[in-house]
Amino acid sequence: MRRRTFLRTGTALAGGSLLTGCLDSLGFEKQSAWRDPPRVKNRPAAVYHPAYMEGMKMYGMGTDGDLRFALMYSYPHRFWNVTGQSNSKVVVQPDDTLHMMVSMWDAKTETTVPADVQLTIKKGGKTVDKRAPWPMLSQNMGFHYGDNVSLDGDGSYSATVRVGSVGVHRTGSLASRLSDGASATIDFEFDTDQIYDVEYREFDEKQGSRDALDPMAMRVPVGRAPAPASLPGTLVGTKSSGDAKFVVTVIEGDNRFADDGKSYLAVSPRTPYNRIVLPRMSLSMELLRNGTTVSKGTLTPALDAALDTHYGAPVGDVRSGDTLRISVDSPPQLARHDGYETAFMEMPPMEFTV
């Protein structure tokens, strides 16, 4: 009898968890335990509670200038890459050692920073893995960068994380910072047995429900968008598209976002349940008054300590009763872990009344 099959048919625990612990304590066979974890049947086209949860552990942190980095690991696991309007499953390969994750944030404001990351892993001065980890969404880790990697056995390693200048438009306290590249090298010891001490949990009743795991507490910002009431400006409203929440605010009068006294229209997309930011989208807007278009254009990806990751544009005159249409021209180009892979794909336009 397969051990995974035997354990899944055991007595359910409180809260719908069917089994919990680490792989070693649960009796899973090494090397093949993570190859085929359970998967929710009839997944909704929305965020859903996954059938299982894999924990993670910290290798270390580093700081360079304004940026702070964290390097974490978990079991190798499947995920889905997104290209344009479609996604594709990435399966665990036989030589995958672990799933390595990088988080990156502004050290002063703890704002998670979207940028292109390079990861180089060395052992004894020799490069054993070099890649650009995928920007990713995970329910228990939020927005991060990650990939399955192959190491050269147990021993001492160094991981160097590099990022170029943060190209996204920055405002407020971030406008004059994050313009230079940064890197940090984090040394770590890899012991095969350690990976089997990472928490693993399967769920019974909760799996497939319209819900999400809570992000784990790791002293690392997960990329949580501000609550709607705390956004600057006048809140226009919140709408859903593709199960993402879009919060719209208009900042009028003199402001740091727009010149010549124009107002600033800001759109803050986030996941339901945990408010995780959704970078790498393409959005556009149209403002209508009495059926006539008065403003139309692309919303620029931007980063601000008060608005966090958002999309915005200067607008000349916004009046009560105006109609605002927000269109998603491209869904988030983010790899997704279980529970997010079916959401944020088909995203119809939204209409707000100012």
Side-chain angles (χ1 to χ4, degrees):
M1 177 182 292
R2 287 174 39 185
R3 293 188 179 189
R4 182 183 293 276
T5 302
F6 174 77
L7 288 167
R8 279 211 301 265
T9 58
T11 303
L13 302 178
S17 178
L18 197 56
L19 61 93
T20 184
C22 62
L23 290 183
D24 199 31
S25 68
L26 292 170
F28 283 84
E29 295 178 2
K30 294 184 178 182
Q31 302 299 326
S32 61
W34 51 70
R35 302 289 182 221
D36 188 29
R39 185 174 171 184
V40 170
K41 297 180 179 179
N42 302 317
R43 296 166 295 160
V47 175
Y48 67 89
H49 196 291
Y52 72 103
M53 184 278 290
E54 293 171 339
M56 55 188 172
K57 290 193 174 183
M58 177 79 69
Y59 271 143
M61 293 187 182
T63 302
D64 185 11
D66 297 319
L67 285 176
R68 190 155 176 78
F69 303 89
L71 183 70
M72 290 153 286
Y73 69 94
S74 185
Y75 306 108
H77 49 238
R78 65 179 175 237
F79 57 90
W80 284 260
N81 274 331
V82 173
T83 303
Q85 304 286 336
S86 61
N87 61 16
S88 58
K89 183 181 176 182
V90 177
V91 299
V92 176
Q93 298 300 313
D95 60 348
D96 286 339
T97 307
L98 46 73
H99 187 80
M100 191 161 281
M101 298 160 283
V102 174
S103 283
M104 181 175 63
W105 65 96
D106 174 61
K108 290 184 179 179
T109 65
E110 296 196 340
T111 304
T112 303
V113 176
D116 294 326
V117 172
Q118 293 286 333
L119 177 65
T120 303
I121 303 173
K122 293 185 177 182
K123 182 182 184 184
K126 179 183 177 181
T127 299
V128 297
D129 197 282
K130 185 175 183 179
R131 67 183 63 220
W134 303 102
M136 282 187 162
L137 282 179
S138 165
Q139 290 188 8
N140 60 342
M141 191 174 174
F143 172 65
H144 66 284
Y145 303 83
D147 204 352
N148 296 328
V149 301
S150 177
L151 300 182
D152 186 21
D154 294 355
S156 300
Y157 290 83
S158 66
T160 299
V161 184
R162 289 187 175 86
V163 61
S165 61
V166 178
V168 67
H169 179 63
R170 302 179 306 283
T171 54
S173 63
L174 301 178
S176 59
R177 298 190 291 112
L178 306 178
S179 57
D180 298 326
S183 67
T185 297
I186 300 168
D187 297 328
F188 67 94
E189 294 289 328
F190 175 69
D191 182 344
T192 305
D193 289 337
Q194 290 179 344
I195 193 71
Y196 301 99
D197 291 332
V198 176
E199 181 185 7
Y200 178 89
R201 185 182 304 169
E202 290 185 8
F203 301 93
D204 185 12
E205 295 178 0
K206 288 185 178 180
Q207 64 170 276
S209 62
R210 297 290 292 273
D211 200 354
L213 297 167
D214 292 329
M216 297 185 71
M218 292 285 289
R219 299 181 293 118
V220 174
V222 296
R224 202 185 295 272
S230 68
L231 292 174
T234 301
L235 187 65
V236 175
T238 301
K239 298 278 188 177
S240 293
S241 179
D243 207 32
K245 301 290 186 181
F246 289 75
V247 184
V248 175
T249 186
V250 175
I251 303 167
E252 298 178 297
D254 291 335
N255 60 79
R256 64 178 182 271
F257 305 99
D259 299 326
D260 302 325
K262 289 186 177 181
S263 298
Y264 185 72
L265 171 68
V267 180
S268 173
R270 70 277 305 274
T271 68
Y273 314 116
N274 290 321
R275 303 200 323 262
I276 304 301
V277 295
L278 293 173
R280 297 179 182 254
M281 303 177 72
S282 295
L283 302 181
S284 57
M285 56 78 68
E286 183 178 13
L287 185 67
L288 300 99
R289 185 171 302 138
N290 299 321
T292 301
T293 300
V294 296
S295 183
K296 186 177 183 179
T298 299
L299 294 171
T300 301
L303 192 65
D304 181 83
L307 287 166
D308 211 294
T309 291
H310 69 284
Y311 304 80
V315 287
D317 181 24
V318 181
R319 301 179 187 177
S320 177
D322 286 352
T323 298
L324 174 66
R325 291 175 182 165
I326 302 295
S327 297
V328 180
D329 303 313
S330 176
Q333 301 298 291
L334 301 169
R336 293 98 178 277
H337 292 223
D338 282 50
Y340 279 145
E341 81 278 10
T342 56
F344 324 135
M345 294 299 294
E346 297 293 331
M347 307 187 79
M350 295 152 285
E351 194 168 283
F352 299 79
T353 300
V354 178

Short mmCIF file of all heavy atoms in Angstrom, two decimals, residues 199-238:
data_model
loop_
_atom_site.label_atom_id
_atom_site.label_comp_id
_atom_site.label_asym_id
_atom_site.label_seq_id
_atom_site.Cartn_x
_atom_site.Cartn_y
_atom_site.Cartn_z
N GLU A 199 7.19 21.73 7.55
CA GLU A 199 5.79 21.36 7.81
C GLU A 199 5.07 20.99 6.53
O GLU A 199 5.25 21.61 5.48
CB GLU A 199 5.06 22.52 8.50
CG GLU A 199 3.60 22.20 8.84
CD GLU A 199 2.86 23.39 9.42
OE1 GLU A 199 3.43 24.51 9.42
OE2 GLU A 199 1.70 23.21 9.84
N TYR A 200 4.23 19.96 6.62
CA TYR A 200 3.38 19.54 5.51
C TYR A 200 2.00 19.21 6.08
O TYR A 200 1.88 18.57 7.11
CB TYR A 200 3.97 18.31 4.82
CG TYR A 200 3.12 17.78 3.68
CD1 TYR A 200 3.28 18.26 2.39
CD2 TYR A 200 2.14 16.81 3.91
CE1 TYR A 200 2.51 17.78 1.35
CE2 TYR A 200 1.36 16.33 2.87
CZ TYR A 200 1.55 16.83 1.59
OH TYR A 200 0.78 16.36 0.57
N ARG A 201 0.95 19.68 5.39
CA ARG A 201 -0.41 19.47 5.89
C ARG A 201 -1.35 19.24 4.72
O ARG A 201 -1.25 19.92 3.70
CB ARG A 201 -0.86 20.68 6.69
CG ARG A 201 -2.21 20.54 7.37
CD ARG A 201 -2.59 21.81 8.09
NE ARG A 201 -1.56 22.21 9.06
CZ ARG A 201 -1.56 23.39 9.66
NH1 ARG A 201 -2.48 24.29 9.39
NH2 ARG A 201 -0.61 23.66 10.54
N GLU A 202 -2.24 18.29 4.86
CA GLU A 202 -3.30 18.07 3.87
C GLU A 202 -4.64 18.42 4.50
O GLU A 202 -4.82 18.32 5.72
CB GLU A 202 -3.30 16.63 3.37
CG GLU A 202 -2.10 16.30 2.51
CD GLU A 202 -2.15 14.90 1.91
OE1 GLU A 202 -3.20 14.24 2.04
OE2 GLU A 202 -1.15 14.48 1.31
N PHE A 203 -5.59 18.83 3.63
CA PHE A 203 -6.90 19.28 4.10
C PHE A 203 -8.00 18.42 3.49
O PHE A 203 -7.88 17.96 2.36
CB PHE A 203 -7.12 20.75 3.73
CG PHE A 203 -6.09 21.68 4.31
CD1 PHE A 203 -4.96 22.01 3.58
CD2 PHE A 203 -6.23 22.19 5.58
CE1 PHE A 203 -4.00 22.86 4.09
CE2 PHE A 203 -5.27 23.04 6.12
CZ PHE A 203 -4.16 23.37 5.37
N ASP A 204 -9.06 18.28 4.23
CA ASP A 204 -10.19 17.47 3.77
C ASP A 204 -11.35 18.37 3.39
O ASP A 204 -11.57 18.69 2.23
CB ASP A 204 -10.58 16.49 4.87
CG ASP A 204 -11.68 15.53 4.43
OD1 ASP A 204 -11.97 15.48 3.23
OD2 ASP A 204 -12.25 14.84 5.30
N GLU A 205 -12.08 18.88 4.39
CA GLU A 205 -13.30 19.63 4.11
C GLU A 205 -13.02 20.99 3.47
O GLU A 205 -13.82 21.49 2.68
CB GLU A 205 -14.10 19.82 5.40
CG GLU A 205 -14.62 18.51 5.99
CD GLU A 205 -15.35 18.73 7.29
OE1 GLU A 205 -15.44 19.90 7.72
OE2 GLU A 205 -15.83 17.74 7.89
N LYS A 206 -11.91 21.62 3.81
CA LYS A 206 -11.63 22.97 3.32
C LYS A 206 -11.21 23.00 1.86
O LYS A 206 -11.38 24.02 1.18
CB LYS A 206 -10.54 23.62 4.17
CG LYS A 206 -10.97 24.03 5.56
CD LYS A 206 -9.83 24.77 6.26
CE LYS A 206 -10.25 25.24 7.64
NZ LYS A 206 -9.14 25.97 8.32
N GLN A 207 -10.61 21.94 1.36
CA GLN A 207 -10.03 22.00 0.02
C GLN A 207 -11.10 22.31 -1.03
O GLN A 207 -12.19 21.76 -1.03
CB GLN A 207 -9.31 20.70 -0.32
CG GLN A 207 -10.16 19.47 -0.42
CD GLN A 207 -9.37 18.31 -1.00
OE1 GLN A 207 -9.25 18.16 -2.22
NE2 GLN A 207 -8.83 17.48 -0.12
N GLY A 208 -10.77 23.23 -1.92
CA GLY A 208 -11.67 23.63 -2.99
C GLY A 208 -12.66 24.71 -2.61
O GLY A 208 -13.37 25.23 -3.48
N SER A 209 -12.74 25.06 -1.31
CA SER A 209 -13.68 26.10 -0.89
C SER A 209 -13.17 27.47 -1.31
O SER A 209 -11.97 27.68 -1.54
CB SER A 209 -13.88 26.05 0.63
OG SER A 209 -12.66 26.31 1.31
N ARG A 210 -14.07 28.45 -1.41
CA ARG A 210 -13.68 29.81 -1.79
C ARG A 210 -13.06 30.49 -0.57
O ARG A 210 -13.71 31.22 0.18
CB ARG A 210 -14.91 30.56 -2.30
CG ARG A 210 -15.51 29.97 -3.57
CD ARG A 210 -14.62 30.16 -4.78
NE ARG A 210 -14.55 31.56 -5.16
CZ ARG A 210 -15.41 32.17 -5.96
NH1 ARG A 210 -16.41 31.49 -6.49
NH2 ARG A 210 -15.27 33.45 -6.25
N ASP A 211 -11.78 30.23 -0.39
CA ASP A 211 -11.05 30.71 0.77
C ASP A 211 -9.57 30.63 0.42
O ASP A 211 -9.20 30.23 -0.68
CB ASP A 211 -11.38 29.84 1.99
CG ASP A 211 -11.06 30.53 3.31
OD1 ASP A 211 -10.48 31.63 3.27
OD2 ASP A 211 -11.39 29.96 4.37
N ALA A 212 -8.71 31.00 1.36
CA ALA A 212 -7.27 30.95 1.13
C ALA A 212 -6.55 30.70 2.43
O ALA A 212 -7.05 31.01 3.52
CB ALA A 212 -6.78 32.26 0.50
N LEU A 213 -5.36 30.11 2.31
CA LEU A 213 -4.49 29.96 3.47
C LEU A 213 -4.01 31.34 3.94
O LEU A 213 -3.87 32.27 3.15
CB LEU A 213 -3.25 29.13 3.10
CG LEU A 213 -3.48 27.68 2.67
CD1 LEU A 213 -2.20 27.14 2.04
CD2 LEU A 213 -3.88 26.83 3.87
N ASP A 214 -3.75 31.46 5.22
CA ASP A 214 -3.15 32.68 5.74
C ASP A 214 -1.66 32.68 5.44
O ASP A 214 -1.00 31.63 5.54
CB ASP A 214 -3.36 32.79 7.25
CG ASP A 214 -4.81 33.01 7.62
OD1 ASP A 214 -5.54 33.64 6.83
OD2 ASP A 214 -5.21 32.55 8.71
N PRO A 215 -1.08 33.83 5.07
CA PRO A 215 0.38 33.89 4.89
C PRO A 215 1.09 33.52 6.19
O PRO A 215 0.63 33.83 7.29
CB PRO A 215 0.63 35.36 4.53
CG PRO A 215 -0.67 35.84 3.97
CD PRO A 215 -1.73 35.11 4.75
N MET A 216 2.23 32.84 6.04
CA MET A 216 3.00 32.42 7.21
C MET A 216 3.75 33.61 7.80
O MET A 216 4.14 34.53 7.10
CB MET A 216 3.98 31.31 6.82
CG MET A 216 3.32 30.05 6.32
SD MET A 216 4.50 28.71 6.01
CE MET A 216 4.96 28.29 7.69
N ALA A 217 3.96 33.58 9.11
CA ALA A 217 4.72 34.63 9.79
C ALA A 217 6.20 34.29 9.72
O ALA A 217 6.67 33.37 10.39
CB ALA A 217 4.27 34.73 11.24
N MET A 218 6.93 35.03 8.87
CA MET A 218 8.36 34.76 8.66
C MET A 218 9.23 36.00 8.80
O MET A 218 10.37 36.01 8.37
CB MET A 218 8.55 34.16 7.26
CG MET A 218 7.98 32.78 7.05
SD MET A 218 8.95 31.48 7.83
CE MET A 218 10.40 31.44 6.78
N ARG A 219 8.70 37.06 9.39
CA ARG A 219 9.43 38.33 9.49
C ARG A 219 9.76 38.91 8.12
O ARG A 219 10.70 39.67 7.95
CB ARG A 219 10.73 38.17 10.31
CG ARG A 219 10.52 37.75 11.73
CD ARG A 219 11.83 37.64 12.48
NE ARG A 219 12.67 36.55 11.98
CZ ARG A 219 13.86 36.72 11.44
NH1 ARG A 219 14.37 37.94 11.34
NH2 ARG A 219 14.56 35.69 11.01
N VAL A 220 8.97 38.52 7.13
CA VAL A 220 9.19 38.96 5.75
C VAL A 220 7.89 39.55 5.22
O VAL A 220 6.84 38.91 5.30
CB VAL A 220 9.62 37.77 4.87
CG1 VAL A 220 9.71 38.18 3.41
CG2 VAL A 220 10.95 37.20 5.35
N PRO A 221 7.90 40.77 4.67
CA PRO A 221 6.67 41.33 4.07
C PRO A 221 6.17 40.44 2.95
O PRO A 221 6.96 39.97 2.12
CB PRO A 221 7.14 42.69 3.55
CG PRO A 221 8.36 43.04 4.34
CD PRO A 221 9.03 41.73 4.62
N VAL A 222 4.87 40.21 2.92
CA VAL A 222 4.29 39.32 1.91
C VAL A 222 3.70 40.09 0.73
O VAL A 222 3.19 39.49 -0.21
CB VAL A 222 3.20 38.41 2.53
CG1 VAL A 222 3.81 37.49 3.57
CG2 VAL A 222 2.07 39.24 3.12
N GLY A 223 3.76 41.43 0.78
CA GLY A 223 3.17 42.22 -0.29
C GLY A 223 1.69 42.44 -0.08
O GLY A 223 0.90 42.25 -1.01
N ARG A 224 1.31 42.85 1.11
CA ARG A 224 -0.11 43.05 1.41
C ARG A 224 -0.51 44.48 1.06
O ARG A 224 0.08 45.45 1.55
CB ARG A 224 -0.39 42.78 2.89
CG ARG A 224 -1.85 42.44 3.18
CD ARG A 224 -2.09 42.29 4.65
NE ARG A 224 -1.39 41.18 5.25
CZ ARG A 224 -1.86 39.94 5.33
NH1 ARG A 224 -3.04 39.65 4.80
NH2 ARG A 224 -1.18 38.98 5.92
N ALA A 225 -1.51 44.63 0.20
CA ALA A 225 -1.99 45.95 -0.21
C ALA A 225 -2.67 46.65 0.97
O ALA A 225 -3.23 45.99 1.86
CB ALA A 225 -2.96 45.83 -1.38
N PRO A 226 -2.66 47.98 0.99
CA PRO A 226 -3.33 48.71 2.08
C PRO A 226 -4.83 48.44 2.08
O PRO A 226 -5.44 48.20 1.03
CB PRO A 226 -3.04 50.18 1.76
CG PRO A 226 -1.87 50.16 0.82
CD PRO A 226 -1.99 48.90 0.04
N ALA A 227 -5.44 48.48 3.25
CA ALA A 227 -6.90 48.38 3.33
C ALA A 227 -7.52 49.56 2.58
O ALA A 227 -6.94 50.65 2.56
CB ALA A 227 -7.34 48.40 4.79
N PRO A 228 -8.65 49.37 1.92
CA PRO A 228 -9.25 50.46 1.13
C PRO A 228 -9.39 51.76 1.90
O PRO A 228 -9.10 52.84 1.38
CB PRO A 228 -10.61 49.89 0.73
CG PRO A 228 -10.39 48.41 0.66
CD PRO A 228 -9.43 48.11 1.79
N ALA A 229 -9.81 51.69 3.16
CA ALA A 229 -10.05 52.90 3.94
C ALA A 229 -8.77 53.67 4.24
O ALA A 229 -8.82 54.86 4.56
CB ALA A 229 -10.75 52.54 5.24
N SER A 230 -7.62 53.01 4.12
CA SER A 230 -6.36 53.68 4.44
C SER A 230 -5.67 54.27 3.21
O SER A 230 -4.63 54.92 3.34
CB SER A 230 -5.40 52.69 5.13
OG SER A 230 -4.99 51.68 4.23
N LEU A 231 -6.24 54.08 2.03
CA LEU A 231 -5.65 54.66 0.82
C LEU A 231 -5.83 56.17 0.81
O LEU A 231 -6.86 56.69 1.27
CB LEU A 231 -6.30 54.06 -0.43
CG LEU A 231 -6.03 52.57 -0.72
CD1 LEU A 231 -6.87 52.11 -1.89
CD2 LEU A 231 -4.55 52.34 -0.99
N PRO A 232 -4.86 56.91 0.29
CA PRO A 232 -5.03 58.37 0.19
C PRO A 232 -6.09 58.72 -0.85
O PRO A 232 -6.39 57.93 -1.74
CB PRO A 232 -3.64 58.85 -0.24
CG PRO A 232 -3.01 57.67 -0.92
CD PRO A 232 -3.54 56.47 -0.22
N GLY A 233 -6.65 59.91 -0.73
CA GLY A 233 -7.64 60.37 -1.70
C GLY A 233 -9.06 60.02 -1.33
O GLY A 233 -9.37 59.61 -0.21
N THR A 234 -9.94 60.18 -2.33
CA THR A 234 -11.36 59.88 -2.16
C THR A 234 -11.65 58.51 -2.76
O THR A 234 -11.43 58.28 -3.96
CB THR A 234 -12.22 60.94 -2.87
OG1 THR A 234 -11.94 62.22 -2.31
CG2 THR A 234 -13.69 60.63 -2.69
N LEU A 235 -12.12 57.60 -1.93
CA LEU A 235 -12.38 56.23 -2.39
C LEU A 235 -13.60 56.21 -3.31
O LEU A 235 -14.69 56.65 -2.95
CB LEU A 235 -12.62 55.33 -1.18
CG LEU A 235 -12.74 53.83 -1.45
CD1 LEU A 235 -11.43 53.27 -1.97
CD2 LEU A 235 -13.16 53.10 -0.17
N VAL A 236 -13.39 55.70 -4.53
CA VAL A 236 -14.48 55.59 -5.51
C VAL A 236 -15.26 54.31 -5.30
O VAL A 236 -16.49 54.29 -5.38
CB VAL A 236 -13.92 55.66 -6.95
CG1 VAL A 236 -15.03 55.41 -7.97
CG2 VAL A 236 -13.26 57.01 -7.20
N GLY A 237 -14.55 53.22 -5.03
CA GLY A 237 -15.24 51.95 -4.80
C GLY A 237 -14.34 50.76 -5.05
O GLY A 237 -13.16 50.91 -5.40
N THR A 238 -14.92 49.57 -4.90
CA THR A 238 -14.22 48.31 -5.10
C THR A 238 -15.06 47.41 -5.99
O THR A 238 -16.26 47.25 -5.76
CB THR A 238 -13.96 47.59 -3.76
OG1 THR A 238 -13.18 48.44 -2.91
CG2 THR A 238 -13.22 46.29 -3.97
#
